[in-house]
Amino acid sequence: MTIDTNSLSPVESLLAPVRHSTHPYLTWYSKSGERVELSGRVFDNWVAKSANLLHEEFDLAPGSVVATDMPSHWKSVALALACWHLGAEVRCVAPGTDPGDVDVFITADPQTLAVNGSVEVIAVPLPALAMAFDGELPVGATDYASEVRSYADSFNHSPIDTAATALHSAAGTLAYTQLFAAGATAGASGTTLVSTAWPLERILPALVSLWSGENPVVLVEDGVKITESLLGGERVVTRLDQES
């Protein structure tokens, strides 16, 4: 194990510099017309609240495995970072796929679950202002929207095993040391637009890399028309959606 008790955890190192920032950190555009601007302070609060929920209610800790079939979305990004605050592994799976032996399953569509009865389920409504999940939940499932706001907006982080797996998907596996490696995404400088045409397992490393380089991100749901007005209004400098 590569635990350095004198250093910050990877997520803490990423978010601590923007914890009190009121400048845009992650701006979300959805096909429904939502525009959600999260400052560094607000995004850090969401990650901290989510980490506290996962730790206090689900005993998530280093070595735990969290599967998700959520789409690329600002909430799925915040939840992934919350899992990494705790040293857990995030496993991206296709909707309707049995994730196997995991501790928690996070989904935006609990009606398509393919998990055994021992897996804890968290249902996440995607609308930004949703105060509760809109629809019937499976017995025992936790409604993320109605629960997360009651948790503390700061997280007391602990050192983690940075050699452990942080992200697993059909595309491969990344350890914490690989995912949070120093250096920004090649060619990115300034506010960067990323499209959710990329799957979550590709979005997550890209955003971590961009934020490591101090680049604000505009995350645009696939299908949203990217206009010159949008680009100019958000002061976009780099577009990763134009890459293959």
Side-chain angles (χ1 to χ4, degrees):
M1 298 177 69
T2 55
I3 295 179
D4 181 355
T5 58
N6 295 314
S7 65
L8 300 178
S9 70
V11 174
E12 181 66 13
S13 295
L14 187 73
L15 295 180
V18 298
R19 179 153 297 142
H20 304 292
S21 172
T22 58
H23 296 294
Y25 190 69
L26 175 59
T27 303
W28 164 254
Y29 280 84
S30 75
K31 289 188 294 184
S32 66
E34 283 185 321
R35 177 188 179 276
V36 180
E37 182 180 294
L38 304 169
S39 65
R41 178 179 62 81
V42 171
F43 184 71
D44 177 68
N45 284 170
W46 274 96
V47 174
K49 285 178 177 292
S50 300
N52 286 318
L53 167 66
L54 291 167
H55 177 62
E56 295 176 29
E57 292 299 316
F58 300 96
D59 296 321
L60 213 67
S64 299
V65 179
V66 178
T68 183
D69 65 355
M70 283 188 66
S72 298
H73 188 278
W74 72 264
K75 289 184 180 179
S76 55
V77 174
L79 277 159
L81 286 171
C83 292
W84 293 330
H85 244 326
L86 294 158
E89 173 187 328
V90 174
R91 183 177 297 173
C92 295
V93 299
T97 301
D98 185 345
D101 185 15
V102 301
D103 298 289
V104 178
F105 192 94
I106 301 176
T107 183
D109 187 4
Q111 303 310 313
T112 66
L113 290 178
V115 298
N116 64 57
S118 65
V119 175
E120 301 275 9
V121 175
I122 300 175
V124 183
L126 297 181
L129 299 180
M131 300 300 291
F133 194 89
D134 184 15
E136 185 177 353
L137 295 179
V139 175
T142 296
D143 184 341
Y144 174 77
S146 66
E147 296 292 333
V148 71
R149 287 177 172 83
S150 66
Y151 286 85
D153 55 11
S154 61
F155 179 72
N156 186 19
H157 70 96
S158 299
I160 64 169
D161 178 9
T162 56
T165 296
L167 180 63
H168 176 85
S169 71
T173 299
L174 290 174
Y176 279 88
T177 49
Q178 296 170 301
L179 181 63
F180 289 90
T185 299
S189 177
T191 301
T192 302
L193 184 143
V194 181
S195 168
T196 67
W198 289 5
L200 184 60
E201 59 264 30
R202 188 179 177 191
I203 289 281
L204 291 172
L207 298 193
V208 168
S209 180
L210 287 165
W211 286 327
S212 295
E214 302 181 355
N215 300 300
V217 171
V218 177
L219 186 60
V220 179
E221 186 173 14
D222 190 27
V224 171
K225 186 176 181 181
I226 300 174
T227 64
E228 289 301 321
S229 176
L230 186 158
L231 295 172
E234 301 297 345
R235 301 181 180 179
V236 171
V237 176
T238 307
R239 291 181 60 173
L240 296 189
D241 66 307
Q242 296 176 323
E243 298 182 357
S244 59

